[in-house]
Amino acid sequence: MNVQECGFGHLYDTDQYASCPYCQQNNVRIDFGADSGIGKTVGIGVGVGAPQPQYSEVGSTVAPAAMQKPKEDAGIGKTVGAFQRTLSFEPVVGWLVCIDGPEKGKDFRIYGRNNTIGRSEKSDICLKADASISRENHARIAYDVKHNSFVMLPGDGANTVYVNDDPVFTPTAVKSFDVIECGEYKLLFVPFCSEKFTWQDGIKQEQEQV
């Protein structure tokens, strides 16, 4: 094997190729113009004033910065919850505690927005130990900021979700210590935001009756 490096940093075997196969694959041409110089290999769109290739290491070519796909701005297009917008952080508003099933004893945080339930790690509440639960959007549990209440909503799951043994086919109110069944999971609902506390008002003191 006779390895040679072309003008763009590609390594190739001259015993197999008369010229760089990577440059040929990417439609690189030979430019004999006065500005580029006789015999100088110039890629299409690469010339005087054009962005030059970048290299992370020998034989590893990185696309020019102008051609690289820009990283998506983490803030662009991201839905921000009402609390996160007003409080600059995303607060916990309650929990689901597994009282029976594959992850008995584990708790799952509920945030002040629509919380997805599914088997995927992308889900807000990840119930990964039961194959009967859909990977994404098996169901949802939402906190209603305006009314300081919680609602269970059906998702796209093939199997039914239950609240206190009642099937959830429409939005269903969830109260303190209700039991939610998702597959083999039995989850006890424990609210943090309630008539005693909200993130808007803090701890509500009971007024003494005169």
Side-chain angles (χ1 to χ4, degrees):
M1 177 183 293
N2 186 12
V3 179
Q4 182 173 325
E5 181 179 355
C6 77
F8 284 86
H10 302 130
L11 298 178
Y12 66 98
D13 186 358
T14 57
D15 293 338
Q16 297 185 27
Y17 303 100
S19 61
C20 177
Y22 304 100
C23 292
Q24 293 175 1
Q25 183 178 357
N26 290 281
N27 298 321
V28 175
R29 59 182 171 81
I30 304 298
D31 189 344
F32 295 102
D35 292 335
S36 58
I38 301 296
K40 181 180 178 182
T41 303
V42 181
I44 293 178
V46 180
V48 178
Q52 299 301 311
Q54 301 171 355
Y55 308 99
S56 57
E57 59 183 47
V58 176
S60 177
T61 304
V62 180
M67 298 173 61
Q68 293 183 26
K69 183 178 179 181
K71 293 183 179 179
E72 182 179 356
D73 190 329
I76 295 177
K78 182 179 180 180
T79 302
V80 179
F83 281 156
Q84 188 174 2
R85 184 180 66 249
T86 57
L87 302 178
S88 74
F89 65 95
E90 192 171 36
V92 173
V93 296
W95 299 269
L96 292 178
V97 181
C98 184
I99 58 173
D100 195 11
E103 297 184 87
K104 186 176 181 179
K106 183 176 180 178
D107 68 296
F108 305 89
R109 293 181 176 182
I110 302 171
Y111 294 96
R113 52 177 165 81
N114 282 354
N115 298 261
T116 57
I117 300 174
R119 211 168 70 250
S120 169
E121 295 286 349
K122 297 179 181 179
S123 301
D124 297 308
I125 298 170
C126 176
L127 307 180
K128 60 185 177 180
D130 184 357
S132 69
I133 295 175
S134 299
R135 286 188 57 80
E136 297 180 3
N137 195 29
H138 182 83
R140 288 172 291 156
I141 184 167
Y143 175 67
D144 183 351
V145 178
K146 185 175 182 179
H147 299 98
N148 188 31
S149 60
F150 294 83
V151 179
M152 194 76 195
L153 302 105
D156 302 325
N159 297 312
T160 305
V161 176
Y162 297 87
V163 174
N164 298 330
D165 289 330
D166 294 326
V168 177
F169 296 124
T170 59
T172 303
V174 183
K175 304 295 184 182
S176 179
F177 292 99
D178 281 350
V179 176
I180 299 169
E181 291 185 52
C182 293
E184 297 180 0
Y185 284 82
K186 283 190 176 181
L187 305 164
L188 186 70
F189 170 64
V190 182
F192 179 61
C193 289
S194 64
E195 68 278 0
K196 299 290 186 181
F197 175 86
T198 66
W199 286 102
Q200 300 98 317
D201 304 326
I203 298 176
K204 298 178 181 179
Q205 301 292 337
E206 294 184 1
Q207 296 182 354
E208 295 182 0
Q209 296 182 355
V210 178

